[in-house]
């Protein structure tokens, strides 16, 4: 019985080897085309793999459509990924990009919050949610959120920038200056913080 199982495993490896090698070639060519900003050609190369259900190829198609400014196509690609795999954090985070580009702040915030229900300290989801909170002028929410993120990542300047902005919009000048000073400790070249410090 053990010999039969070993033989079947060997046959499965032999059958899948050409397919894996073909995928390697497809992705090598894909990255070359993407690097050359030939997004349509790169997408055509990946389409057969995506049509076969290859999740990574579908993710890349969503990304290419986003890069190409085809935001509705990008949304459609990411939604197909989420239909097949509702727990895909990559798919949900990818979906935030075209939504942000279309200034669909509420929709993008909803997607970011769904990521955070699965992965509460996903950094990318927090940053994209802060972008939405700023665009929606939710200053008290943004201030609390940015403070929480800055506490979790004390070496990061991004959350401190959002904290400073939220305080400034609430006319807390001293608090904004304090946050901008912390930004400059972490990122001395930050133009926004430097402008306040002058």
């Amino acid at each position: 019985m053990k010999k039969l199982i070993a033989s079947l495993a060997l046959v499965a490896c032999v059958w899948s080897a050409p397919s894996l090698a073909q995928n390697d070639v497809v992705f090598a060519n894909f990255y070359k085309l993407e690097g050359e900003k030939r997004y349509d050609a790169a997408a055509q190369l990946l389409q057969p793999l995506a049509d076969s259900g290859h999740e990574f190829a579908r993710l890349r198609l969503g990304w290419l459509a986003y890069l190409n400014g085809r935001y509705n196509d990008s949304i459609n690609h990411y939604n197909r990924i989420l239909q097949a795999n509702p727990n895909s954090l990559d798919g949900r985070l990818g979906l935030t990009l075209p939504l942000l580009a279309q200034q669909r702040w509420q929709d993008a915030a909803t997607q970011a919050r769904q990521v955070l229900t699965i992965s509460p300290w996903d950094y990318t989801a927090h940053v994209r949610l802060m972008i939405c909170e700023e665009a929606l002028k939710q200053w008290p929410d943004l201030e609390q959120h940015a403070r929480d993120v800055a506490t979790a990542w004390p070496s990061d300047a991004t959350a401190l920038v959002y904290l400073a902005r939220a305080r400034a919009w609430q006319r807390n000048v001293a608090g904004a200056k304090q946050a901008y000073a912390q930004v400059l400790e972490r990122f001395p070249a930050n133009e926004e913080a430097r402008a306040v410090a002058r």
Side-chain angles (χ1 to χ4, degrees):
M1 186 65 170
K2 287 183 181 177
K3 287 184 180 180
L4 176 62
I5 292 172
S7 297
L8 290 174
L10 179 61
V11 169
C13 288
V14 170
W15 278 346
S16 65
S19 171
L20 293 175
Q22 287 172 342
N23 287 358
D24 289 348
V25 171
V26 168
F27 279 107
N29 289 329
F30 159 77
Y31 285 118
K32 181 177 183 297
L33 292 169
E34 182 186 19
E36 295 169 354
K37 298 186 179 181
R38 295 171 56 196
Y39 303 135
D40 289 333
Q44 286 176 354
L45 194 61
L46 284 190
Q47 193 64 58
L49 268 179
D51 290 344
S52 74
H54 193 288
E55 187 173 18
F56 183 61
R58 288 178 172 176
L59 284 166
R60 299 311 295 174
L61 287 179
W63 172 246
L64 287 173
Y66 167 74
L67 290 177
N68 219 4
R70 295 182 180 151
Y71 302 131
N72 289 331
D73 290 343
S74 180
I75 289 167
N76 289 336
H77 284 299
Y78 287 122
N79 278 330
R80 280 196 288 275
I81 290 163
L82 293 171
Q83 286 170 354
N85 179 4
N87 293 319
S88 172
L89 297 179
D90 280 338
R92 209 162 288 287
L93 287 170
L95 181 54
T96 64
L97 292 171
L99 293 172
L100 289 171
Q102 291 180 334
Q103 299 183 7
R104 292 170 57 183
W105 311 119
Q106 292 286 7
D107 293 337
T110 296
Q111 295 303 320
R113 285 188 188 100
Q114 287 183 4
V115 169
L116 294 173
T117 62
I118 299 168
S119 179
W121 285 106
D122 186 290
Y123 179 79
T124 303
H126 278 289
V127 170
R128 292 183 187 166
L129 182 54
M130 287 188 291
I131 291 169
C132 295
E133 290 167 339
E134 179 182 34
L136 294 166
K137 299 180 177 15
Q138 297 171 338
W139 306 123
D141 292 342
L142 176 58
E143 181 179 11
Q144 182 60 55
H145 187 190
R147 189 182 306 118
D148 292 345
V149 174
T151 300
W153 285 282
S155 64
D156 181 66
T158 301
L160 291 168
V161 169
Y162 284 107
L163 178 61
R165 290 175 185 171
R167 288 176 174 172
W169 277 101
Q170 295 176 93
R171 293 179 171 71
N172 178 355
V173 175
K177 285 185 175 181
Q178 178 193 32
Y180 278 128
Q182 290 178 297
V183 170
L184 290 173
E185 289 174 355
R186 289 148 182 80
F187 185 34
N190 183 281
E191 287 298 322
E192 184 176 332
R194 287 176 65 183
V196 171
R198 287 185 191 129

